[in-house]
Amino acid sequence: MARCVEERKQGLAANRLFLLTHPAVITYTARTPNDQLPDAASPIALVQTNRGGHATYHGPGQLIGYLVLNVRELGPVD
C-alpha cells in the first residue's frame, strides 16, 4: 500500500480504491493505550500504523476500503 501512496504522490498513478478483507488483525497507533491491546498470547496479529485513532479490529468477512487519492486535486464539493 505504501508504494501505491508514493506513486500517487508523485503523480505516477491515478486515484485508486482498494476493497479487500483481512485475516484477523488489530491495527493500532503509538497513542493506543496498552489496555486496548490483547496480551501476547492472543492469536490475533497486531500491526502498528501511522493513521489516527486507536485500536481497530479487522477480520474475515469484513470488507475494508482504502482510498488512495490526492485531495488537493478535488474541489470543495467532491
Side-chain angles (χ1 to χ4, degrees):
M1 188 66 65
R3 187 188 83 225
C4 294
V5 170
E6 191 55 39
E7 288 173 354
R8 184 64 195 108
K9 284 180 180 178
Q10 294 177 17
L12 301 174
N15 293 335
R16 302 175 190 176
L17 169 63
F18 295 91
L19 297 173
L20 54 112
T21 63
H22 288 282
V25 63
I26 294 174
T27 59
Y28 68 99
T29 69
R31 299 182 319 173
T32 304
N34 285 335
D35 64 351
Q36 290 187 7
L37 299 175
D39 63 33
S42 173
I44 300 174
L46 291 173
V47 176
Q48 187 170 4
T49 66
N50 61 359
R51 60 160 173 75
H54 292 286
T56 303
Y57 172 79
H58 305 284
Q62 180 186 28
L63 185 64
I64 307 296
Y66 294 99
L67 285 170
V68 179
L69 55 93
N70 184 340
V71 296
R72 291 182 177 95
E73 293 177 353
L74 302 175
V77 296
D78 292 333

